[in-house]
Amino acid sequence: MKLKASIEHKPNIPTASMADIAFLLIIFFMLTITFEVDKTQVQLPKTTLRYEIPKKAAYVSVDPNGRIRVSDGNSQSSLVSAADEVLSMAATVIATDPQKTFVVKSDGDVPWEKVDEVLDALKRAKVRDLRLLSDQRTVDDL
Amino acid sequence: MRIERDRPDDEIPTSSMADIAFLLIVFFMVTTTFTATRGLDFALPEDDDNPPVIEKEESVLIEIFPGGNLVVDQNPMELGEIIEYLKPKLERNPKKPVIIRPDIATEYRYMVEVYDELRQGEEHGLSEPINISVPTQREIQSFWY
């Protein structure tokens, strides 16, 4: 009697859904990605209270050496020589959007004098929504 | 006799789709930076042209010196003691302005520390948020007397 040859199974890994999973992840990353407008490396002060800062906010950063960088929230931050330039940038931004959020990103060890100049410039430019960027204070910091 | 015909493959080749997708994932994962986008909101006066006139005697003055040394109404104080000191004063007048005045050489983080502490007044048992004011050097020179 002739034996029927057993049915041969072709080894196959089901990869049809792989692309679905991958595209789902891509969509997640595309939605959550925010391109940093300011890459200044600073050691932020720590606070217990922290609130979410809206996207597209304008940035004024002060690095540990007291150098000031500004960004209108759309383009990369650029170095300015004096706080007066912060005033002119802020005034331009406020003229187009009076409710624009401004974020002060300053190193914690910078003397108050520097931050004071920046805050004064922003006050004079009539900035209404101002935030101080900070890190979370934990129980270890107390 | 059955004629075996070469049937064309009716499948869409999707084997490389996952490769492309994962390449894009890797790109987004590498370029995504999770940054600190949280912070304190810093109250600014609505109209700078007409600053409210504050009598020095009516307000509480918190001076911050380099190294984080605090002097509240001429009394040296620790950060944790401020709210307790303010409580009886603010119970009489919840709108009493509390002025933070850091020395120009004081490190910025000490000012933020004090500001953060005062913002938590309600958590420490105060009935209303503290009326905090942080005048800039220019304002101090123009309006201080």
Side-chain angles (χ1 to χ4, degrees):
Chain A
M1 194 183 85
K2 203 182 165 191
L3 281 175
K4 210 178 164 190
S6 59
I7 303 159
E8 210 177 294
H9 284 283
K10 219 176 160 188
N12 187 25
I13 300 165
T15 54
S17 61
M18 185 87 99
D20 300 349
I21 299 162
F23 278 109
L24 190 85
L25 285 169
I26 291 175
I27 290 165
F28 167 75
F29 280 111
M30 281 176 75
L31 292 180
T32 54
I33 200 166
T34 43
F35 290 100
E36 257 186 300
V37 290
D38 186 86
K39 292 192 171 69
T40 316
Q41 292 292 316
V42 294
Q43 191 71 47
L44 291 170
K46 291 182 174 174
T47 62
T48 311
L49 297 177
R50 281 169 91 229
Y51 303 103
E52 194 70 43
I53 289 168
K55 283 182 179 178
K56 296 270 174 196
Y59 272 74
V60 180
S61 69
V62 186
D63 74 6
N65 299 316
R67 283 185 300 241
I68 303 168
R69 283 182 182 80
V70 293
S71 162
D72 59 3
N74 297 315
S75 49
Q76 280 292 319
S77 62
S78 56
L79 199 68
V80 293
S81 54
D84 282 345
E85 286 180 56
V86 177
L87 171 61
S88 58
M89 183 282 284
T92 316
V93 173
I94 287 297
T96 51
D97 181 5
Q99 302 300 325
K100 186 83 172 179
T101 304
F102 274 73
V103 179
V104 172
K105 176 185 171 184
S106 173
D107 191 277
D109 287 327
V110 164
W112 171 248
E113 193 179 17
K114 270 280 160 202
V115 186
D116 179 85
E117 279 176 14
V118 170
L119 291 178
D120 193 57
L122 295 176
K123 274 187 182 182
R124 281 196 283 167
K126 307 238 186 285
V127 170
R128 299 230 179 90
D129 189 1
L130 183 62
R131 315 289 176 104
L132 306 177
L133 202 67
S134 63
D135 268 337
Q136 185 66 57
R137 177 188 289 273
T138 58
V139 277
D140 302 332
D141 301 315
L142 295 171
Chain B
M1 198 184 93
R2 238 177 108 195
I3 302 159
E4 283 277 319
R5 258 194 290 178
D6 226 9
R7 284 179 58 193
D9 203 355
D10 56 359
E11 263 183 42
I12 300 165
T14 54
S15 58
S16 62
M17 184 89 101
D19 298 351
I20 300 163
F22 277 108
L23 191 85
L24 285 169
I25 290 175
V26 171
F27 166 75
F28 280 112
M29 280 177 74
V30 169
T31 54
T32 301
T33 44
F34 290 97
T35 48
T37 51
R38 283 169 162 262
L40 273 175
D41 46 341
F42 193 70
L44 289 179
E46 281 289 301
D47 191 353
D48 210 13
D49 297 332
N50 299 309
V53 179
I54 298 165
E55 297 289 336
K56 234 179 185 175
E57 295 73 29
E58 281 179 11
S59 59
V60 176
L61 179 68
I62 302 175
E63 290 172 283
I64 314 169
F65 292 97
N69 300 318
L70 301 172
V71 175
V72 184
D73 285 345
Q74 320 293 328
N75 309 308
M77 219 171 265
E78 292 293 319
L79 185 66
E81 299 168 357
I82 297 178
I83 298 282
E84 286 306 313
Y85 172 80
L86 291 175
K87 254 183 195 169
K89 290 174 184 289
L90 294 173
E91 268 163 22
R92 279 198 298 276
N93 177 13
K95 295 269 180 276
K96 198 179 192 65
V98 178
I99 301 167
I100 302 177
R101 197 179 149 189
D103 186 89
I104 53 166
T106 302
E107 293 86 344
Y108 168 65
R109 67 191 146 104
Y110 294 118
M111 179 268 154
V112 175
E113 244 174 37
V114 174
Y115 187 75
D116 185 40
E117 179 74 11
L118 293 183
R119 284 290 305 275
Q120 294 172 68
E122 279 166 301
E123 276 102 84
H124 288 108
L126 292 173
S127 56
E128 276 185 52
I130 301 174
N131 179 10
I132 313 165
S133 164
V134 188
T136 62
Q137 291 300 314
R138 183 183 59 91
E139 286 170 334
I140 290 168
Q141 279 154 19
S142 324
F143 306 114
W144 210 261
Y145 48 91

